[in-house]
Amino acid sequence: ILICVSNGGLTEPSSVTVGGASCTLVIQGLYTHGQIWGISLDTGTSADIIKYGPGGMFGGICVYALYGASTSTHDTFAVGNSNPVSGNITIPANGAALGLNNSATDAAGWETTWVGLTKQSDLEVSTNVALSTATLTPAIEQTDLAVTATIGVATPSWQDGCCASWGLA
């Protein structure tokens, strides 16, 4: 299970659990610490997902099931306060990549446009605070694939992002 966590402030969640079991931090952005967490589960179809952190913290989550994945990432990148969020990722043949964009604006326009990955979600976590995710499962290896996430306003209040890839069995 992969959990993308948006952070509505400048302090990151300290842990995430699924059904009471601790997740592992996969990667986090370098400014507001939008994060991807993961946990390997053998059984179960539903469980409470809880994120823990400093008081007053708010945000959102987006959850993915990734079947047959390696227990470690193949490649990652993380960026800080920039628009667009961009980096390069290598995805193994028949593997998978998951990207996260965590952003805030002072005006409408938080929707994210992705290049390199296919957008899966655009969630307004609170007024003008957003979490966007994108994925790709290529049949052939993608070496140093350029990934870009751009929010729909010229000057965001803040933005960061991260991306990870895995080999699949």
Side-chain angles (χ1 to χ4, degrees):
I1 302 293
L2 298 173
I3 302 130
C4 296
V5 177
S6 169
N7 178 22
L10 298 177
T11 56
E12 68 269 15
S14 56
S15 66
V16 173
T17 62
V18 174
S22 295
C23 297
T24 300
L25 179 62
V26 174
I27 187 83
Q28 71 180 18
L30 301 177
Y31 185 65
T32 61
H33 309 293
Q35 301 171 327
I36 299 174
W37 292 78
I39 187 169
S40 180
L41 299 174
D42 293 328
T43 61
T45 57
S46 65
D48 290 336
I49 297 173
I50 301 173
K51 66 178 189 147
Y52 299 90
M57 185 181 72
F58 61 95
I61 65 170
C62 201
V63 180
Y64 292 89
L66 185 61
Y67 298 99
S70 170
T71 56
S72 60
T73 57
H74 180 77
D75 194 13
T76 62
F77 76 79
V79 296
N81 200 18
S82 64
N83 187 30
V85 163
S86 63
N88 294 326
I89 191 94
T90 296
I91 311 167
N94 301 308
L98 173 60
L100 172 148
N101 182 46
N102 186 40
S103 62
T105 70
D106 291 328
W110 51 265
E111 295 87 357
T112 301
T113 301
W114 287 88
V115 174
L117 303 178
T118 303
K119 180 164 55 174
Q120 299 298 319
S121 69
D122 239 352
L123 307 171
E124 187 175 22
V125 175
S126 65
T127 303
N128 300 325
V129 174
L131 166 64
S132 184
T133 62
T135 62
L136 186 65
T137 54
I140 60 172
E141 181 177 66
Q142 301 295 304
T143 302
D144 292 327
L145 175 70
V147 173
T148 305
T150 307
I151 60 173
V153 294
T155 308
S157 298
W158 49 259
Q159 179 178 9
D160 73 358
C162 54
C163 187
S165 68
W166 294 265
L168 301 178

